[in-house]
């Protein structure tokens, strides 16, 4: 009986240690694709678990249903060689007036209604207002295409990357450009989807 209790105790201790080890937070560096070699001295530090890299929609879907994940593959190969992990941030909002990084078909085809809407950033007192673009995630056609991209990424990189995250969903847009009832209903729905 004593041996059984000891074995059970050791087993629970072993499981507890493994559980705690699996729960240890890790530090990630946040950067854009193409910057990895420039920051290698930071990446290889022992306290860094990996890198979160921003990839925009246009770079990953070059035309409708044509995906180009070569940049991610290259970054993943490089990080794997350093024994580091990759977290993908899929960017669908942009913080510069000229940045409209969604596929051309989203901008041009009628069902996507231009695909983007201008957004404004009020950064605070005594700072100039920023501007940029955000995808119309409340438009079911746009959202469906974005979710299809996420599905393709998941299928391709499942088990090979640490995860995929999306940028913050808070936006400041001119509501006159959106049908008010549609905006309220679909923005509420969007918060539950994402």
């Amino acid at each position: 009986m004593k041996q059984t209790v000891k074995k059970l105790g050791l087993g629970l201790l072993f499981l507890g240690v493994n559980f705690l080890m699996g729960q240890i937070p890790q530090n990630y560096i946040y950067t854009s694709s193409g910057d990895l070699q420039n920051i290698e001295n930071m990446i290889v530090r022992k306290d860094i678990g990996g890198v979160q890299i921003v990839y925009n929609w246009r770079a990953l879907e070059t035309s409708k249903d044509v995906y180009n994940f070569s940049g991610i593959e290259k970054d993943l190969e490089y990080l794997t060689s350093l024994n580091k992990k990759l977290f993908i941030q899929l960017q669908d909002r942009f913080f510069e007036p000229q940045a409209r990084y969604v596929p051309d078909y989203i901008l041009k085809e009628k069902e996507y209604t231009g695909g983007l809407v201008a957004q404004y950033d009020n950064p605070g007192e005594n700072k100039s207002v920023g501007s940029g673009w955000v995808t119309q995630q409340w438009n079911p056609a746009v959202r469906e295409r974005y979710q299809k991209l996420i599905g393709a990424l998941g299928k391709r990189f499942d088990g090979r990357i640490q995860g995929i995250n999306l940028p913050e969903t808070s936006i400041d847009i001119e509501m006159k450009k959106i049908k008010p009832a549609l905006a309220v209903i679909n923005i509420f729905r969007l918060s539950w989807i994402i």
Side-chain angles (χ1 to χ4, degrees):
M1 177 81 169
K2 279 186 168 182
Q3 276 190 324
T4 304
V5 171
K6 281 184 182 179
K7 287 181 182 178
L8 181 61
L10 284 173
L12 289 173
L13 178 64
F14 178 75
L15 287 173
V17 168
N18 280 333
F19 175 76
L20 289 174
M21 299 237 350
Q23 300 299 315
I24 296 172
Q26 295 185 330
N27 297 313
Y28 278 70
I29 296 171
Y30 178 84
T31 190
S32 299
S33 183
D35 288 343
L36 293 179
Q37 282 78 11
N38 297 334
I39 60 170
E40 184 175 324
N41 60 336
M42 288 191 295
I43 296 171
V44 297
R45 290 179 15 187
K46 290 182 183 186
D47 63 328
I48 301 298
V51 180
Q52 177 178 320
I53 300 178
V54 177
Y55 301 93
N56 70 61
W57 187 354
R58 177 188 288 263
L60 300 178
E61 186 177 16
T62 55
S63 59
K64 198 170 198 173
D65 294 320
V66 177
Y67 301 111
N68 178 3
F69 299 149
S70 61
I72 296 174
E73 290 286 1
K74 181 181 173 187
D75 292 340
L76 180 59
E77 181 180 332
Y78 177 75
L79 290 170
T80 301
S81 76
L82 299 175
N83 199 28
K84 301 296 178 176
K85 298 173 187 155
L86 171 63
F87 222 106
I88 294 171
Q89 179 168 319
L90 182 54
Q91 198 73 14
D92 75 326
R93 54 207 63 224
F94 316 102
F95 303 99
E96 298 170 353
Q98 69 279 12
R100 297 169 58 96
Y101 302 131
V102 297
D104 285 337
Y105 75 89
I106 294 287
L107 296 171
K108 295 176 182 173
E109 292 180 17
K110 186 177 181 177
E111 67 188 293
Y112 307 111
T113 62
L116 294 171
V117 66
Q119 75 168 356
Y120 304 93
D121 179 29
N122 186 356
E125 192 174 327
N126 298 324
K127 295 184 179 177
S128 60
V129 173
S131 61
W133 301 94
V134 63
T135 58
Q136 297 176 18
Q137 292 288 352
W138 54 88
N139 177 330
V142 173
R143 186 172 58 247
E144 179 183 321
R145 296 303 309 169
Y146 191 67
Q147 290 175 344
K148 191 166 184 183
L149 171 60
I150 294 169
L153 284 165
K155 186 175 182 180
R156 177 79 168 265
F157 295 103
D158 185 28
R160 298 175 56 208
I161 62 170
Q162 193 67 14
I164 298 172
N165 74 302
L166 308 177
E168 67 179 77
T169 57
S170 300
I171 58 173
D172 192 1
I173 58 176
E174 207 175 309
M175 293 303 289
K176 293 177 198 168
K177 302 203 182 228
I178 301 173
K179 294 178 184 175
L182 177 68
V184 170
I185 291 167
N186 286 308
I187 287 175
F188 175 75
R189 187 182 320 151
L190 177 64
S191 69
W192 285 98
I193 292 170
I194 294 178

